[in-house]
Amino acid sequence: MDSLREILGAIAKFRDDRDWAQFHTPRQLGAAIAIEAGELQQAMLWKSDEQVASLVAEPAGRSELAREVADVLIFGLLFCHAIGIDPIGAIGDKLEENAEKYPVEFAKGRAAKYTSLRHDDGK
Amino acid sequence: MDSLREILGAIAKFRDDRDWAQFHTPRQLGAAIAIEAGELQQAMLWKSDEQVASLVAEPAGRSELAREVADVLIFGLLFCHAIGIDPIGAIGDKLEENAEKYPVEFAKGRAAKYTSLRHDDGK
Amino acid sequence: MDSLREILGAIAKFRDDRDWAQFHTPRQLGAAIAIEAGELQQAMLWKSDEQVASLVAEPAGRSELAREVADVLIFGLLFCHAIGIDPIGAIGDKLEENAEKYPVEFAKGRAAKYTSLRHDDGK
Amino acid sequence: MDSLREILGAIAKFRDDRDWAQFHTPRQLGAAIAIEAGELQQAMLWKSDEQVASLVAEPAGRSELAREVADVLIFGLLFCHAIGIDPIGAIGDKLEENAEKYPVEFAKGRAAKYTSLRHDDGK
């Protein structure tokens, strides 16, 4: 599979083959995303930064993380479908909004939240 | 913007213009996904199902949800980048795995978890 | 066990018997809370409101929910310990802060967020 | 305030003064816990371990973390109330269950998940 359009079609087919759209309200999908985000964090829990780096470096560990983040993305795309928006358009709009909130000249190399960004001298 | 490749390029450019890859460890991005999942749920919190449906039906409400789910997707894609996997491939692999866990003949129209799916007589 | 002091002692003993304080940084405990919150939501996922009510009404279902929320509370209390605060004091302070943000005369019977509460005429 | 019984009474009074029990279904409270867990993680996001340690060491930073974890605990206790369980009893039961899953002789000083604990030779 090599394009987003194809993958969106595959996700919709998976759902519709099982007649699952009836369960996919925005609230349920929002909860599903949070649950999968938790499982993704679980895969790294109690590990040191070095142990996480080892996990990423090993095929089995990377594959575990890939499966968990894939679930996040799948439910995120299903959420877009459920509320009738185009995910690519939504991401593009959000990047533009973030670009205004985090202008390069203020944000470069700094992780401060945008609300404190212009007044913060450091980090 | 109309393809995933372009959007991935735009996300990477946004990050690199701000020199933010240094902050994007798998653990931090995993936390960021969970935080954004929380914000998405926040937009629906305490609302009845009817109020959520109204939110989705209004342009301002739908746009709010779109912004929040876009953040989930952006951090999900950044996580894929940080661990060096292709998001489309990861989603495709996960759909195949889920198709085995949830065979159509058992899962159709039922929301049971796969571990109880074959022994459960309807829900 | 019948008092918070005893339960805090039991949690600390459980942790120290296993020499686990070394893993309990604020960041790891914050992730653990989010993970357990996800598991709590998982127990209700895809269920209708009626099915959740049935779950609560059955001893086995209520026990499942009790176990998940207990994990949230345990990690919340461990977080308090890790940053050196008294959980009862923190809750008391937060209730006072919330009482100012949500005055009874404005908030009664309404679920609006405090930022829109005074300008909102019913929801 | 110095006992859990008093704090539970104060939380219930806060809720009932505002007539908010009507919004406090198990599902909504589960989402609220996940949202607050996200806000707690937000307070540490993008920070290095040293920066989190500094946050904990400063009164303002510790107070921010205290407010966020207090929200987690408040909603956790409200969840217990909504499903009709005693939080202290639930925590005590869960500690006993965890003590069986993580026997001291296997778990001491190791962060492995219980499912792999007995077969894992160190981590």
Side-chain angles (χ1 to χ4, degrees), chain C residues 74-85:
Chain C
I74 290 169
F75 283 121
L77 294 170
L78 285 166
F79 186 93
C80 291
H81 189 276
I83 66 166
I85 62 163

Side-chain angles (χ1 to χ4, degrees), chain A residues 18 27 67 97 102 109, chain B residues 18 47 67 97 102 109:
Chain A
R18 285 156 187 78
R27 194 196 311 279
R67 282 199 304 276
E97 189 182 314
Y102 298 93
Chain B
R18 286 158 187 77
K47 291 187 167 59
R67 282 199 304 276
E97 188 182 316
Y102 297 95

Side-chain angles (χ1 to χ4, degrees), chain D residues 84-118:
Chain D
I85 62 163
D86 164 47
I88 297 287
I91 292 173
D93 290 349
K94 194 56 169 57
L95 284 178
E96 279 182 35
E97 188 183 315
N98 288 353
E100 282 180 40
K101 288 202 315 202
Y102 298 94
V104 170
E105 64 271 31
F106 291 106
K108 188 156 187 167
R110 297 169 56 205
K113 210 186 165 187
Y114 71 94
T115 43
S116 65
L117 205 56
R118 291 172 199 225

Side-chain angles (χ1 to χ4, degrees), chain B residues 1 3 9 12 17-18 22 27 35 39-40 46 49 61 63 65-67 78 84 86-87 89 94 96 110 120 123:
Chain B
M1 226 170 304
S3 84
D17 281 350
R18 286 158 187 77
Q22 61 182 309
R27 194 197 310 278
I35 292 163
E39 295 190 4
L40 179 60
W46 310 134
D49 290 347
S63 169
L65 295 170
R67 282 199 304 276
L78 284 166
D86 165 46
K94 194 57 169 56
E96 279 182 36
R110 297 169 56 205
D120 205 65
K123 180 158 287 187

Side-chain angles (χ1 to χ4, degrees), chain A residues 7 18 20 27 31 41 44 47-49 62 67 71 83 91 94 97 102 107-110 123, chain B residues 7 18 20 23 27 31 41 44 47-49 62 67 71 83 94 97 102 107-110:
Chain A
I7 211 84
R18 285 156 187 78
W20 279 357
R27 194 196 311 279
Q41 293 200 289
M44 299 179 278
K47 292 186 167 60
S48 67
D49 291 346
R62 196 163 57 247
R67 282 199 304 276
D71 277 331
I83 67 166
I91 292 174
K94 195 55 168 58
E97 189 182 314
Y102 298 93
K108 190 155 187 167
R110 297 169 56 205
K123 181 161 292 182
Chain B
I7 211 84
R18 286 158 187 77
W20 279 357
F23 302 117
R27 194 197 310 278
Q41 296 204 98
M44 298 179 278
K47 291 187 167 59
S48 67
D49 290 347
R62 195 163 58 246
R67 282 199 304 276
D71 277 331
I83 67 166
K94 194 57 169 56
E97 188 182 316
Y102 297 95
K108 189 157 188 168
R110 297 169 56 205

Side-chain angles (χ1 to χ4, degrees), chain C residues 4-119:
Chain C
L4 185 66
R5 185 171 304 278
E6 280 179 77
I7 211 84
L8 289 173
I11 292 173
K13 180 172 163 28
F14 179 85
R15 178 197 61 203
D16 294 337
D17 281 350
R18 286 157 187 78
D19 195 16
W20 280 356
Q22 60 182 312
F23 301 118
H24 287 185
T25 62
R27 194 196 311 279
Q28 297 275 15
L29 290 168
I33 293 169
I35 292 162
E36 299 299 340
E39 294 189 6
L40 179 60
Q41 292 200 285
Q42 175 89 59
M44 299 179 277
L45 189 66
W46 311 134
K47 292 186 167 60
S48 67
D49 290 346
E50 291 69 32
Q51 288 171 322
V52 172
S54 297
L55 195 74
V56 172
E58 293 157 15
R62 195 163 57 247
S63 169
E64 182 189 0
L65 295 170
R67 282 198 304 276
E68 298 300 352
V69 75
D71 277 330
V72 169
L73 292 171
I74 290 169
F75 283 121
L77 294 170
L78 285 166
F79 186 93
C80 291
H81 189 276
I83 66 166
I85 62 163
D86 166 46
I88 297 288
I91 292 174
D93 291 348
K94 195 54 168 58
L95 283 178
E96 278 183 37
E97 189 183 314
N98 287 353
E100 282 180 38
K101 287 201 317 203
Y102 298 94
V104 171
E105 64 270 32
F106 290 106
K108 190 157 187 166
R110 297 169 56 205
K113 207 185 169 189
Y114 71 94
T115 43
S116 65
L117 204 57
R118 292 173 198 223
H119 312 292

Side-chain angles (χ1 to χ4, degrees), chain B residues 2 6 16 41 54 62 76-77 83-84 103 108 114:
Chain B
D2 56 21
E6 280 178 79
D16 294 337
Q41 296 204 98
S54 296
R62 195 163 58 246
L77 294 170
I83 67 166
K108 189 157 188 168
Y114 71 95

